[in-house]
Amino acid sequence: MDNCIFCKIISGEIPAKKVYEDDLVIAIEDISPVAPVHLLVIPRQHIVNSLDMRQEHEGLIGRVFTVAARLAREKGVAEEGFRIVNNNNAGAGQSVFHIHFHLLGGRSLQWPPG
Ligand code: AMP
Ligand code: ZN
């Protein structure tokens, strides 16, 4: 998708600190971290957000969660607790309109979120 920053990261046009990749997803370090561990798990396919999900994407979302869990363990935040966050539309804080899942950990996380 033209003018999509995450599509450009996936294609290699824009650099990013990649921590994982496979056939369906990549994971990168967030450029503006809000927690000691702040990764983004990003499907390769340009899907706008959860409202754009179709039945054919169900396997892909399973992959997102197995990868996020693996990265939480690798980064040492699995036992203490971590959060997987997906913002949908601007009112919820979505700023990049290519679906992605924040993996946040390494500090105490308040509930409810702001
Ligand atoms: P959201 O606000 O939920 O759409 O999340 C988008 C996230 O992408 C934010 O946490 C940004 O800091 C992050 N971000 C934006 N541009 C880049 C980039 N070039 N590399 C890594 N992370 C980015
Ligand atoms: Zn995209």
Side-chain angles (χ1 to χ4, degrees):
M1 175 74 62
D2 289 347
N3 285 328
C4 170
I5 191 150
F6 287 171
C7 282
K8 288 181 178 172
I9 286 172
I10 288 159
S11 71
E13 197 179 325
I14 289 177
K17 287 190 183 164
K18 213 178 277 181
V19 295
Y20 176 87
E21 65 180 321
D22 64 27
D23 57 325
L24 294 179
V25 304
I26 70 164
I28 63 172
E29 290 184 3
D30 196 291
I31 202 166
S32 182
V34 299
V37 174
H38 188 173
L39 303 177
L40 301 173
V41 182
I42 311 172
R44 289 184 183 275
Q45 192 176 346
H46 184 91
I47 297 164
V48 172
N49 60 31
S50 300
L51 298 167
D52 202 18
M53 281 286 148
R54 301 287 175 266
Q55 203 169 3
E56 74 212 52
H57 301 133
E58 288 173 358
L60 171 62
I61 297 310
R63 180 72 62 83
V64 166
F65 277 77
T66 54
V67 168
R70 169 185 170 153
L71 291 170
R73 287 195 184 91
E74 279 179 18
K75 295 291 178 182
V77 299
E79 295 308 319
E80 68 192 52
F82 62 95
R83 198 168 282 170
I84 299 168
V85 175
N86 164 234
N87 295 321
N88 292 276
N89 281 340
Q94 186 175 10
S95 61
V96 178
F97 288 80
H98 176 135
I99 197 167
H100 53 280
F101 296 79
H102 299 257
L103 169 57
L104 299 166
R107 66 167 169 84
S108 86
L109 298 164
Q110 303 307 307
W111 193 263

